[in-house]
Amino acid sequence: PTEVLDTPSPTLSSIASPTSTPTMTTTSPTLTTTMKEISIEERLAAIALQAGSEFVDPESYHSKAVRYVINLPGVSEITKSQLAQKYALACFYFSTFKVGNLYTVENPPGWLRSDNWIGYSDECTWYGIVCIDGKVVSLGLPENNVAGTVPLELSLLGTTLLHLDLAGNPVFNIDEDMAWIEEMVELRELFLHLCNFDSNGITTYLGNLTKLEHLDISYTLMFGSFNSEVFKSLSNLHTLELGGNVYNEPIPDEIKNLPALENLYIENAQLKGDLSFLSSMEMIFELWIDMNEDISGTLPTELEKISSLASLSISECNLHGSIPAELQMLTSMQQLWLYGNQLSGGIPSEIVELKNL
């Protein structure tokens, strides 16, 4: 194989330009030319999600990942978990690098940055990866032209990965292609904003991520129900971003009763109902539900009880009536947007005098 020298761990400021193509060959040797390779192939088959049957097609991303791993120096000496980590990342690369899908051209350009990926250097030095004690805990490739499909093999990182950010990429997953999500049980942060994740409502695979603290699935393709049962077990969520999808229903109790929720964003999502749900959100700090024309009714006086509320945006909805003077009790309020409604009367002087507004 082509010799590639190890390089120090990259930083965003120290890397001058991306690597646009793999830094080593992946077309040879064949999977069964030596006893060493047979051993590694057998070990990989034991890790593979289909017990190695996915290696039959030499052009599959699985086979490309196997050929890459077999070429690595010292691979016969590494542990099963290390082997699984290398295989999972290689599968991710070959499934999303210069691979087309429904939302890209047939042969899209590669990632904008792929420094050190698929070379001989340790995967902890690859662009977008953070490790602790050799285990991948963060994979961040936002707005990086990651295309193709996120492979199911990403689930092999499920016991170590804490942070996953693929926001702003043309990657495309549909229905059961998202099954890897339910295996990411250690995730604290998941950012899929503006990815093409197509499902009938919010994918139920998310319900298994009980340690999740920040979830952003805004402007994906999750059109349909909130599938409220998803949120019953997400008691650690403090920030939830669901805007830009189409739900055609009110905010469910399972969301408004989340015990740790502080920030909620569901703008431009065809929400229905009124603002009565606010009375049960006593921990909320920031709430933005703009551009939902089927949200109607009045501003409830019960808002005065939400002492934590600092930012409220309900613009371009269908509210009517007056602005209640009771909002003067919201002494933490710093931002308030109500334009684009059918409100009548003036702004009460008591609200104008709020010191932090």
Side-chain angles (χ1 to χ4, degrees), residues 18-27 59-69 72 84-101 108-121 123 125-129 139 141 144-157 164 166 169 171 173:
T19 301
S20 60
T21 58
T23 55
M24 63 171 291
T25 58
T26 59
T27 58
E59 296 305 313
S60 70
Y61 70 80
H62 317 86
S63 291
K64 293 176 182 179
V66 169
R67 289 195 292 269
Y68 162 71
V69 173
L72 292 173
Q85 179 169 281
K86 294 178 186 295
Y87 173 66
L89 291 170
C91 283
F92 179 81
Y93 179 88
F94 288 114
S95 183
T96 62
F97 186 90
K98 291 188 176 181
V99 179
N101 62 41
W111 299 355
L112 299 181
R113 297 195 62 172
S114 56
D115 312 60
N116 290 345
W117 277 76
I118 314 303
Y120 282 158
S121 60
E123 62 267 24
T125 70
W126 297 358
Y127 174 75
I129 287 179
L139 175 58
L141 297 169
N144 200 46
N145 206 37
V146 176
T149 298
V150 178
L152 297 176
E153 285 73 17
L154 194 64
S155 64
L156 296 173
L157 303 179
L164 177 61
L166 299 177
N169 285 297
V171 68
N173 282 57

Side-chain angles (χ1 to χ4, degrees), residues 198-317:
D198 189 348
S199 68
N200 183 15
I202 293 176
T203 178
T204 55
Y205 294 126
L206 290 165
N208 207 37
L209 309 187
T210 59
K211 298 181 180 180
L212 207 57
E213 298 174 359
H214 189 164
L215 173 63
D216 185 352
I217 52 172
S218 60
Y219 296 86
T220 54
L221 298 174
M222 297 185 186
F223 296 166
S225 171
F226 279 105
N227 291 327
S228 58
E229 69 276 8
V230 168
F231 299 95
K232 289 181 178 179
S233 58
L234 304 186
S235 59
N236 292 302
L237 271 181
H238 62 71
T239 301
L240 181 57
E241 302 181 57
L242 303 175
N245 298 317
V246 177
Y247 304 114
N248 285 315
E249 60 184 18
I251 296 174
D253 291 344
E254 288 81 359
I255 289 180
K256 62 190 180 186
N257 293 334
L258 285 168
L261 191 63
E262 297 178 352
N263 308 293
L264 178 62
Y265 310 96
I266 321 182
E267 77 287 351
N268 191 27
Q270 296 192 25
L271 294 179
K272 295 182 179 298
D274 55 28
L275 299 180
S276 59
F277 68 90
L278 285 171
S279 61
S280 61
M281 303 186 73
E282 298 180 356
M283 293 283 294
I284 200 70
F285 176 82
E286 185 162 74
L287 174 67
W288 294 0
I289 52 173
D290 311 86
M291 295 180 288
N292 287 293
E293 62 182 17
D294 289 325
I295 289 183
S296 58
T298 60
L299 284 165
T301 57
E302 290 82 2
L303 276 171
E304 65 177 335
K305 300 177 182 178
I306 311 176
S307 60
S308 60
L309 189 59
S311 179
L312 177 64
S313 190
I314 322 177
S315 65
E316 298 183 57
C317 293

